[in-house]
């Protein structure tokens, strides 16, 4: 499948009534604040969270061992809400009867073509808790580059899904993200936070 992410753009924005929304909903929560006063708050949430699950999905940290060193697997994807192509880690929503490990391994295969094994899971992370209750767990997935299936990975993208995968040296992630930002790409908070973590570790010699 061939596509050009540069062709993607927003052509129109319309107001959407809550009853017409398929993937998201706006709710009002009533609560008592720290002084015992009654208050309320508006927030957004997904309609797709699996019943009984406490998490919407996962983000995936996949480090590839290349002959030249460790590289982190990233992707480019047009995101209509921000009208731009975002730099992200692979990610996806949890399916029914699926563990977060299975979700990460499945999404990695579908979006990137790589076969991997989940090795570490973060606590639940909330993306923007003042606005929505959307959340995820970051899953480290080990990719065996000696596995024949990983020699020529073929993504298994769904109809209407356009994702471009690429890697950058892990040690160069902070400056590579700055370069991509200066080129006009939008940075997903998860990958920028990883880059900031690398810089903090260097700055304070952790």
């Amino acid at each position: 499948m061939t596509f050009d992410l540069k062709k993607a753009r927003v052509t129109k924005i319309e107001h959407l009534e809550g009853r017409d929304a398929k993937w998201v909903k706006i709710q009002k929560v009533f609560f008592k604040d720290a002084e015992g006063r009654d208050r309320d708050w508006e927030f957004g949430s997904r309609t797709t969270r699996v019943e009984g699950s406490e998490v919407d999905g996962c983000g995936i940290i996949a480090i590839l061992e290349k002959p030249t060193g460790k590289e982190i697997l990233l992707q480019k994807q047009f995101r209509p809400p921000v009208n731009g192509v975002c730099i992200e880690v692979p990610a996806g929503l949890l399916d029914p009867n699926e563990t977060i490990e299975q979700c990460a391994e499945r999404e990695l295969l579908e979006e990137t073509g790589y076969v991997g094994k989940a090795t570490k899971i973060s606590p639940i992370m909330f993306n923007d808790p003042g606005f929505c209750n959307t959340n995820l767990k970051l899953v480290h997935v080990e990719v065996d580059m000696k596995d024949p299936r990983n020699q020529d990975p073929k993504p298994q993208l769904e109809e209407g899904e356009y994702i471009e995968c690429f890697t950058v040296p892990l040690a160069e992630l902070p400056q590579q993200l700055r370069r991509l930002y200066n080129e006009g790409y939008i940075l997903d908070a998860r990958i920028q936070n990883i880059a900031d973590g690398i810089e903090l570790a260097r700055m304070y010699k952790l």
Side-chain angles (χ1 to χ4, degrees):
M1 179 173 60
T2 60
F3 54 85
D4 184 358
L5 291 175
K6 294 179 180 178
K7 292 182 179 179
R9 70 186 194 284
V10 170
T11 58
K12 185 179 182 181
I13 297 177
E14 294 181 344
H15 175 73
L16 182 68
E17 297 292 338
R19 62 178 177 272
D20 298 323
K22 182 178 181 181
W23 306 111
V24 297
K25 57 186 175 183
I26 302 298
Q27 296 171 286
K28 180 178 283 190
V29 59
F30 298 87
F31 67 102
K32 288 188 180 294
D33 68 14
E35 296 182 22
R37 295 174 299 184
D38 290 319
R39 297 182 61 186
D40 59 72
W41 196 280
E42 297 174 359
F43 73 99
S45 60
R46 293 182 183 273
T47 62
T48 53
R49 183 177 294 181
V50 173
E51 185 176 354
S53 174
E54 60 181 357
V55 66
D56 289 307
C58 68
I60 301 164
I61 299 176
I63 307 299
L64 309 185
E65 291 280 358
K66 298 287 188 72
T68 53
K70 294 179 174 62
E71 299 189 5
I72 186 168
L73 183 58
L74 302 177
Q75 53 192 37
K76 298 175 182 178
Q77 186 169 189
F78 177 75
R79 294 300 193 181
V82 294
N83 191 25
V85 177
C86 289
I87 306 299
E88 311 171 347
V89 294
L93 299 177
L94 194 69
D95 280 348
N97 303 313
E98 184 177 52
T99 67
I100 200 71
E101 295 93 338
Q102 292 168 337
C103 177
E105 292 168 6
R106 172 182 57 77
E107 288 288 350
L108 182 70
L109 178 62
E110 291 176 358
E111 294 190 354
T112 74
Y114 283 103
V115 176
K117 177 68 175 177
T119 59
K120 183 180 178 182
I121 303 170
S122 78
I124 294 178
M125 302 166 55
F126 288 85
N127 302 335
D128 189 352
F131 171 68
C132 64
N133 67 358
T134 299
N135 63 19
L136 57 83
K137 291 184 177 183
L138 272 180
V139 182
H140 293 245
V141 178
E142 183 178 285
V143 177
D144 182 2
M145 296 303 292
K146 296 179 181 178
D147 188 326
R149 295 172 294 179
N150 292 327
Q151 299 306 306
D152 186 25
K154 302 291 186 185
Q156 303 170 14
L157 300 178
E158 298 178 5
E159 178 68 27
E161 196 172 33
Y162 305 100
I163 298 173
E164 182 180 315
C165 298
F166 67 107
T167 63
V168 300
L170 182 60
E172 299 176 12
L173 181 61
Q175 53 265 47
Q176 290 289 343
L177 289 186
R178 281 192 289 271
R179 173 184 63 81
L180 289 163
Y181 174 78
N182 289 334
E183 291 177 3
Y185 291 98
I186 294 168
L187 305 181
D188 182 278
R190 287 162 286 192
I191 189 59
Q192 181 58 49
N193 286 343
I194 292 171
D196 283 341
I198 291 172
E199 293 196 311
L200 282 171
R202 289 171 177 165
M203 184 183 305
Y204 294 102
K205 297 179 173 56
L206 300 178

